[in-house]
């Protein structure tokens, strides 16, 4: 158990730091009074049982986890619009506190399940009392609609242990297309939505100023 605590410590540190940094980006857009491509951010360290399951399924030896399991530290960035995803990827590419080692575009190339997201694998340096340690982390970037679909599908996956009955599989695929059409529709009225959001923000600030 102490061994796992030691092994996972840099991953925990990376997730905490990345949460602060990525949430900080949203705050910076707010300060600039410009549309934030980041709606919200979550992160997690992969549960030990899930690490062991995945290592077993993929034939990864436990002494090769650091190099071969890319999602022990995982972040998720949720965006309002599909275009925001590309904006976020651009922001990540420009950072010099992390290095992008791989990008997987499951938006242009959706998975057969219907899954859509943009995945970026990064190498991230964690400062420890024993010096710098580079770890791999996975950042999944998706719209709110893609996240809704993926969350529901993930839950059902647990229930059916990955083997969906044919009708559920079909419904999930058609729900994924409906979620994507929703993203496309929202993109068409993006200007209107952002104008309304800017109006609400100004109004809120004005009311707060009036109170103080
Ligand atoms: N809900 C849902 N999530 C998915 C699906 N496919 C990938 N993901 C998410 O993306 C992660 C893995 O992304 P991939 O790029 O497929 O990584 P991989 O190493 O090729 O495949 P995994 O063995 O699934 O990790 C998973 O751990 C999930 O969080 C899917 O069909 N449904
Ligand atoms: N990159 C990530 N950022 C935030 N949360 C994540 C990320 N990847 C997975 N999660 C969530 O963490 C929880 C546990 O993750 P776990 O690694 O067991 O799931 P998984 O993504 O299905 O993994 P696997 O690739 O092993 O199938 C789930 O609720 C999952 O949705």
């Amino acid at each position: 158990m102490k061994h796992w605590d030691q092994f996972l410590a840099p991953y925990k540190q990376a997730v905490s730091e990345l949460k602060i940094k990525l949430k900080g980006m949203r705050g910076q857009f707010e300060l600039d009074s410009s549309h934030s491509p980041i709606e919200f951010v979550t992160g997690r360290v992969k549960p030990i049982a899930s690490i062991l399951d995945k290592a077993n399924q993929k034939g990864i030896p436990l002494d090769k986890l650091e190099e071969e399991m890319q999602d022990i530290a995982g972040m998720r960035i949720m965006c309002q619009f599909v275009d925001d995803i590309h904006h976020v990827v651009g922001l990540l590419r420009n950072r010099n506190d992390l290095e992008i080692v791989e990008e997987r575009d499951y938006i242009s190339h959706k998975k057969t399940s219907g899954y859509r997201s943009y995945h970026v694998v990064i190498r991230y340096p964690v400062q420890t009392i024993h010096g710098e340690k580079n770890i791999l982390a996975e950042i999944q970037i998706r719209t709110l609609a893609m996240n809704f679909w993926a969350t529901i599908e993930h839950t059902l996956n647990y229930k059916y242990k990955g083997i969906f009955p044919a009708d559920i599989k079909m419904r999930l695929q058609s729900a994924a297309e409906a979620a994507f059409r929703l993203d496309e529709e929202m993109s068409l009225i993006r200007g209107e939505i952002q104008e309304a959001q800017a109006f609400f923000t100004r109004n809120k600030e004005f009311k707060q100023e009036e109170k103080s």
Side-chain angles (χ1 to χ4, degrees):
M1 205 58 204
K2 183 150 186 280
H3 164 75
W4 275 111
D5 284 345
Q6 268 167 354
F7 176 75
L8 292 177
Y11 294 95
K12 284 186 184 157
Q13 191 174 323
V15 168
S16 308
E17 289 179 11
L18 287 165
K19 267 192 203 164
I20 290 175
K21 290 180 178 186
L22 298 174
K23 287 179 184 181
M25 284 163 83
R26 183 188 156 88
Q28 288 169 24
F29 280 101
E30 275 168 12
L31 273 179
D32 274 2
S33 299
S34 56
H35 167 76
S36 167
I38 297 177
E39 186 64 11
F40 68 94
V41 175
T42 62
R44 65 96 182 90
V45 174
K46 200 172 183 69
I48 296 169
S50 183
I51 295 177
L52 292 172
D53 270 359
K54 189 168 179 172
N56 195 21
Q57 271 170 27
K58 296 201 145 195
I60 303 175
L62 291 186
D63 60 357
K64 288 273 184 301
L65 284 177
E66 280 177 28
E67 302 97 305
E68 293 185 23
M69 199 171 289
Q70 300 174 326
D71 68 335
I72 297 177
M75 302 298 301
R76 221 168 247 169
I77 301 177
M78 266 53 70
C79 307
Q80 287 186 346
F81 304 102
V82 178
D83 281 350
D84 291 338
I85 296 177
H86 303 294
H87 188 178
V88 170
V89 175
L91 290 167
L92 293 176
R93 287 190 192 128
N94 281 337
R95 292 188 73 104
N96 51 25
D97 56 348
L98 54 87
E99 184 200 340
I100 296 184
V101 293
E102 204 175 321
E103 292 186 24
R104 295 190 204 125
D105 182 356
Y106 298 126
I107 296 174
S108 307
H109 309 280
K110 64 168 178 173
K111 289 205 162 189
T112 46
S113 60
Y115 179 77
R116 281 189 174 90
S117 276
Y118 198 99
H119 291 195
V120 175
V121 179
I122 61 165
R123 186 170 292 115
Y124 182 76
V126 174
Q127 308 303 318
T128 79
I129 51 170
H130 307 294
E132 186 172 280
K133 184 168 174 60
N134 280 295
I135 59 130
L136 292 177
E138 175 198 71
I139 307 180
Q140 302 176 345
I141 310 155
R142 40 170 84 156
T143 62
L144 298 170
M146 291 172 193
N147 189 49
F148 174 55
W149 182 91
T151 306
I152 302 285
E153 198 260 2
H154 194 266
T155 313
L156 283 173
N157 224 324
Y158 269 109
K159 175 169 172 183
Y160 293 109
K161 299 186 175 63
I163 305 162
F164 290 115
D167 60 327
I168 304 273
K169 193 171 163 184
M170 210 181 67
R171 284 205 186 280
L172 279 169
Q173 282 165 344
S174 100
E177 291 320 300
F180 199 62
R181 279 199 304 280
L182 175 62
D183 276 334
E184 285 176 332
E185 288 294 324
M186 290 301 186
S187 292
L188 295 176
I189 51 166
R190 181 186 172 130
E192 294 272 331
I193 298 169
Q194 279 177 216
E195 234 172 68
Q197 284 169 343
F199 173 77
F200 278 126
T201 312
R202 276 200 308 273
N203 227 12
K204 210 167 78 187
E205 280 167 3
F206 180 67
K207 282 189 179 144
Q208 268 163 357
E209 273 167 28
E210 268 188 336
K211 269 190 210 158
S212 56

